[in-house]
Amino acid sequence: QKEVEQDPGPLSVPEGAIVSLNCTYSNSAFQYFMWYRQYSRKGPELLMYTYSSGNKEDGRFTAQVDKSSKYISLFIRDSQPSDSATYLCASFQGAQKLVFGQGTRLTINP
Amino acid sequence: KAGVTQTPRYLIKTRGQQVTLSCSPISGHRSVSWYQQTPGQGLQFLFEYFSETQRNKGNFPGRFSGRQFSNSRSEMNVSTLELGDSALYLCASSPGLVTDTQYFGPGTRLTVL
Protein backbone atom coordinates (compact mmCIF):
# COMPACT_ATOMS: atom_id res chain seq x y z
CA GLN A 1 0.00 0.00 0.00
CA LYS A 2 1.32 3.43 -0.95
CA GLU A 3 1.77 5.93 1.88
CA VAL A 4 -0.10 8.58 -0.09
CA GLU A 5 -3.13 7.55 -2.16
CA GLN A 6 -4.76 9.69 -4.79
CA ASP A 7 -7.46 8.97 -7.33
CA PRO A 8 -5.77 9.36 -10.73
CA GLY A 9 -9.01 10.43 -12.41
CA PRO A 10 -9.29 11.72 -15.05
CA LEU A 11 -11.58 14.46 -13.78
CA SER A 12 -13.40 16.71 -16.24
CA VAL A 13 -15.49 19.73 -15.16
CA PRO A 14 -16.98 22.80 -16.87
CA GLU A 15 -15.32 26.19 -16.59
CA GLY A 16 -16.36 28.07 -13.45
CA ALA A 17 -17.03 24.93 -11.40
CA ILE A 18 -15.58 24.27 -7.97
CA VAL A 19 -13.06 21.45 -8.13
CA SER A 20 -12.27 19.17 -5.21
CA LEU A 21 -9.11 17.06 -5.31
CA ASN A 22 -8.37 14.62 -2.52
CA CYS A 23 -5.67 12.40 -1.06
CA THR A 24 -5.39 10.07 1.89
CA TYR A 25 -2.22 9.11 3.70
CA SER A 26 -1.33 6.32 6.08
CA ASN A 27 1.68 7.62 8.02
CA SER A 28 0.51 9.52 11.10
CA ALA A 29 3.99 11.07 11.41
CA PHE A 30 3.40 13.20 8.31
CA GLN A 31 3.21 16.87 9.30
CA TYR A 32 3.84 18.85 6.14
CA PHE A 33 1.60 18.60 3.09
CA MET A 34 2.00 20.01 -0.37
CA TRP A 35 0.05 20.31 -3.57
CA TYR A 36 1.96 20.52 -6.82
CA ARG A 37 0.60 21.25 -10.29
CA GLN A 38 2.22 19.69 -13.33
CA TYR A 39 1.49 20.74 -16.89
CA SER A 40 2.24 18.36 -19.72
CA ARG A 41 5.98 18.09 -20.44
CA LYS A 42 6.87 20.32 -17.47
CA GLY A 43 8.17 19.76 -13.96
CA PRO A 44 5.84 20.04 -10.96
CA GLU A 45 5.33 23.53 -9.51
CA LEU A 46 4.36 24.14 -5.91
CA LEU A 47 0.82 25.42 -5.38
CA MET A 48 0.23 25.09 -1.66
CA TYR A 49 2.31 24.13 1.39
CA THR A 50 0.56 23.49 4.71
CA TYR A 51 1.62 22.34 8.16
CA SER A 52 -0.51 20.08 10.35
CA SER A 53 -4.32 20.39 10.33
CA GLY A 54 -6.38 23.31 9.09
CA ASN A 55 -7.07 25.39 6.02
CA LYS A 56 -4.86 27.61 3.90
CA GLU A 57 -6.16 29.88 1.18
CA ASP A 58 -4.31 31.47 -1.73
CA GLY A 59 -6.46 33.20 -4.31
CA ARG A 60 -8.77 30.66 -5.90
CA PHE A 61 -7.01 27.75 -4.17
CA THR A 62 -7.73 26.35 -0.71
CA ALA A 63 -5.78 23.51 0.88
CA GLN A 64 -7.34 21.57 3.72
CA VAL A 65 -5.73 19.02 6.04
CA ASP A 66 -7.63 16.78 8.44
CA LYS A 67 -5.06 14.80 10.42
CA SER A 68 -7.70 12.94 12.39
CA SER A 69 -8.89 11.21 9.22
CA LYS A 70 -5.55 11.46 7.36
CA TYR A 71 -7.26 13.32 4.54
CA ILE A 72 -5.93 16.23 2.48
CA SER A 73 -7.88 18.26 -0.06
CA LEU A 74 -7.37 21.00 -2.61
CA PHE A 75 -10.28 23.14 -3.71
CA ILE A 76 -10.19 25.28 -6.83
CA ARG A 77 -12.87 27.95 -7.12
CA ASP A 78 -13.99 29.52 -10.40
CA SER A 79 -11.95 26.97 -12.34
CA GLN A 80 -10.34 28.11 -15.59
CA PRO A 81 -9.16 26.16 -18.66
CA SER A 82 -5.62 27.15 -17.65
CA ASP A 83 -6.09 25.03 -14.50
CA SER A 84 -6.11 21.91 -16.68
CA ALA A 85 -3.12 19.91 -15.44
CA THR A 86 -2.15 17.01 -13.22
CA TYR A 87 -2.35 17.77 -9.50
CA LEU A 88 -0.08 15.93 -7.09
CA CYS A 89 -0.32 15.76 -3.32
CA ALA A 90 2.84 15.09 -1.33
CA SER A 91 4.32 14.90 2.15
CA PHE A 92 7.79 14.70 3.63
CA GLN A 93 8.73 11.16 4.67
CA GLY A 94 12.20 12.20 5.80
CA ALA A 95 14.71 14.98 5.28
CA GLN A 96 13.85 16.42 1.89
CA LYS A 97 12.29 13.09 0.83
CA LEU A 98 8.88 13.75 -0.70
CA VAL A 99 6.30 10.99 -1.06
CA PHE A 100 3.76 11.72 -3.79
CA GLY A 101 0.29 10.55 -4.63
CA GLN A 102 -0.31 9.17 -8.09
CA GLY A 103 -1.62 12.52 -9.36
CA THR A 104 -5.09 13.48 -10.61
CA ARG A 105 -5.44 14.59 -14.21
CA LEU A 106 -7.88 17.52 -14.34
CA THR A 107 -9.49 19.03 -17.44
CA ILE A 108 -11.52 22.25 -17.31
CA ASN A 109 -13.83 22.51 -20.33
CA PRO A 110 -14.60 26.00 -21.72
CA LYS B 1 16.35 34.31 -10.12
CA ALA B 2 16.93 31.53 -12.60
CA GLY B 3 15.11 28.29 -11.93
CA VAL B 4 16.38 24.74 -11.78
CA THR B 5 17.95 23.66 -15.05
CA GLN B 6 18.42 20.11 -16.27
CA THR B 7 20.43 18.82 -19.19
CA PRO B 8 19.88 17.19 -21.52
CA ARG B 9 16.11 17.53 -21.88
CA TYR B 10 15.75 14.39 -24.00
CA LEU B 11 17.91 11.30 -24.26
CA ILE B 12 17.65 8.02 -26.14
CA LYS B 13 19.84 5.11 -25.09
CA THR B 14 19.93 1.38 -25.65
CA ARG B 15 19.82 -1.38 -23.07
CA GLY B 16 23.13 -1.96 -21.31
CA GLN B 17 24.43 1.54 -21.83
CA GLN B 18 24.95 4.05 -19.07
CA VAL B 19 23.74 7.63 -18.83
CA THR B 20 24.59 10.76 -16.86
CA LEU B 21 22.06 13.49 -16.20
CA SER B 22 22.90 16.94 -14.90
CA CYS B 23 21.08 19.39 -12.65
CA SER B 24 21.91 22.99 -11.74
CA PRO B 25 19.96 24.19 -8.70
CA ILE B 26 18.62 27.64 -7.97
CA SER B 27 21.43 29.95 -6.92
CA GLY B 28 22.02 29.70 -3.19
CA HIS B 29 20.27 26.35 -2.81
CA ARG B 30 22.39 23.63 -1.25
CA SER B 31 20.06 20.64 -1.51
CA VAL B 32 19.35 18.70 -4.68
CA SER B 33 16.88 15.83 -4.85
CA TRP B 34 16.25 13.45 -7.73
CA TYR B 35 12.97 11.76 -8.63
CA GLN B 36 11.86 9.27 -11.26
CA GLN B 37 8.40 9.74 -12.78
CA THR B 38 6.65 6.95 -14.72
CA PRO B 39 2.99 6.46 -15.64
CA GLY B 40 2.79 3.30 -13.58
CA GLN B 41 4.65 4.26 -10.40
CA GLY B 42 4.25 8.02 -10.41
CA LEU B 43 6.91 10.19 -8.80
CA GLN B 44 9.43 8.24 -6.75
CA PHE B 45 12.31 9.60 -4.70
CA LEU B 46 15.78 8.49 -5.77
CA PHE B 47 18.18 10.38 -3.49
CA GLU B 48 19.03 13.75 -2.03
CA TYR B 49 22.34 15.54 -1.68
CA PHE B 50 23.19 18.36 0.67
CA SER B 51 26.61 19.98 0.74
CA GLU B 52 28.11 17.19 -1.38
CA THR B 53 26.83 14.42 0.95
CA GLN B 54 24.02 12.01 0.27
CA ARG B 55 21.55 12.66 3.04
CA ASN B 56 18.68 10.40 2.01
CA LYS B 57 18.11 7.55 -0.40
CA GLY B 58 15.08 5.85 -1.92
CA ASN B 59 14.50 2.21 -2.80
CA PHE B 60 16.30 1.97 -6.10
CA PRO B 61 19.01 -0.50 -7.13
CA GLY B 62 22.67 0.41 -6.94
CA ARG B 63 22.70 1.06 -10.70
CA PHE B 64 21.33 4.47 -9.79
CA SER B 65 23.91 6.75 -8.26
CA GLY B 66 24.52 10.43 -7.88
CA ARG B 67 26.90 13.05 -6.67
CA GLN B 68 26.99 16.72 -5.86
CA PHE B 69 29.76 19.18 -6.52
CA SER B 70 31.01 22.04 -4.36
CA ASN B 71 28.94 24.52 -6.41
CA SER B 72 25.80 22.44 -5.57
CA ARG B 73 25.37 21.21 -9.12
CA SER B 74 24.45 17.53 -9.17
CA GLU B 75 24.66 14.61 -11.52
CA MET B 76 22.91 11.28 -11.48
CA ASN B 77 24.15 8.20 -13.25
CA VAL B 78 22.32 5.08 -14.33
CA SER B 79 24.47 2.15 -15.37
CA THR B 80 23.47 -0.94 -17.35
CA LEU B 81 20.24 0.61 -18.55
CA GLU B 82 17.07 -1.48 -18.64
CA LEU B 83 13.87 -0.87 -20.60
CA GLY B 84 12.10 -0.10 -17.32
CA ASP B 85 14.42 2.85 -16.71
CA SER B 86 12.55 4.82 -19.37
CA ALA B 87 11.09 7.72 -17.42
CA LEU B 88 11.10 11.42 -16.74
CA TYR B 89 13.92 12.19 -14.30
CA LEU B 90 13.24 15.26 -12.23
CA CYS B 91 15.63 17.27 -10.16
CA ALA B 92 14.47 19.55 -7.34
CA SER B 93 16.43 22.09 -5.34
CA SER B 94 15.85 23.69 -1.97
CA PRO B 95 17.81 25.83 0.49
CA GLY B 96 18.46 22.66 2.46
CA LEU B 97 16.52 22.60 5.70
CA VAL B 98 14.69 19.33 6.31
CA THR B 99 11.25 20.63 5.32
CA ASP B 100 12.19 23.40 2.92
CA THR B 101 10.09 23.75 -0.22
CA GLN B 102 11.46 21.91 -3.24
CA TYR B 103 11.48 23.58 -6.65
CA PHE B 104 11.50 21.27 -9.62
CA GLY B 105 13.28 21.50 -12.92
CA PRO B 106 11.68 20.59 -16.27
CA GLY B 107 13.11 17.08 -16.20
CA THR B 108 15.10 14.86 -18.55
CA ARG B 109 13.05 12.44 -20.62
CA LEU B 110 15.05 9.21 -20.93
CA THR B 111 13.99 6.56 -23.42
CA VAL B 112 15.72 3.18 -23.31
CA LEU B 113 15.39 1.06 -26.47
Side-chain angles (χ1 to χ4, degrees):
Chain A
Q1 184 194 359
K2 288 197 162 207
E3 287 195 277
V4 180
E5 299 276 1
Q6 185 177 7
D7 185 341
L11 182 62
S12 182
V13 302
E15 183 177 353
I18 296 175
V19 176
S20 172
L21 302 167
N22 307 294
C23 292
T24 58
Y25 63 95
S26 57
N27 191 334
S28 55
F30 286 175
Q31 298 278 5
Y32 297 85
F33 303 92
M34 284 130 279
W35 283 95
Y36 281 86
R37 177 175 63 193
Q38 186 175 23
Y39 291 113
S40 182
R41 300 184 183 281
K42 302 277 188 182
E45 61 174 320
L46 182 70
L47 273 178
M48 303 288 280
Y49 188 153
T50 57
Y51 170 70
S52 196
S53 281
N55 291 359
K56 183 176 182 180
E57 189 172 317
D58 184 1
R60 297 184 294 110
F61 298 90
T62 299
Q64 195 172 78
V65 176
D66 181 349
K67 292 200 73 183
S68 63
S69 57
K70 297 190 179 68
Y71 202 79
I72 53 180
S73 302
L74 179 71
F75 299 96
I76 307 174
R77 291 182 300 281
D78 187 26
S79 56
Q80 304 294 312
S82 59
D83 294 328
S84 298
T86 296
Y87 290 79
L88 299 142
C89 58
S91 184
F92 280 116
Q93 189 182 59
Q96 287 291 292
K97 179 181 178 181
L98 282 174
V99 176
F100 285 87
Q102 187 70 8
T104 299
R105 183 177 293 180
L106 172 66
T107 301
I108 309 297
N109 301 303
Chain B
K1 219 178 209 182
V4 178
T5 58
Q6 292 186 245
T7 56
R9 293 292 312 277
Y10 302 92
L11 209 48
I12 299 175
K13 292 286 186 179
T14 56
R15 277 181 301 174
Q17 287 186 309
Q18 76 166 19
V19 67
T20 299
L21 312 181
S22 181
C23 172
S24 292
I26 293 170
S27 177
H29 284 190
R30 297 168 64 191
S31 168
V32 173
S33 301
W34 289 90
Y35 294 84
Q36 181 195 66
Q37 187 175 31
T38 60
Q41 297 298 316
L43 264 158
Q44 292 185 286
F45 175 82
L46 281 156
F47 31 65
E48 185 251 356
Y49 287 86
F50 177 75
S51 293
E52 301 179 67
T53 300
Q54 188 180 86
R55 189 164 57 172
N56 215 333
K57 190 178 188 304
N59 296 324
F60 278 82
R63 300 185 297 107
F64 293 83
S65 63
R67 59 178 176 168
Q68 187 180 34
F69 302 96
S70 58
N71 62 358
S72 294
R73 190 177 70 85
S74 178
E75 289 181 346
M76 70 162 280
N77 184 274
V78 188
S79 62
T80 320
L81 284 167
E82 301 177 359
L83 295 179
D85 296 334
S86 293
L88 180 67
Y89 289 89
L90 291 157
C91 161
S93 82
S94 85
L97 294 180
V98 166
T99 54
D100 271 340
T101 299
Q102 292 186 5
Y103 299 89
F104 283 82
T108 294
R109 172 76 61 184
L110 172 65
T111 302
V112 182
L113 303 176

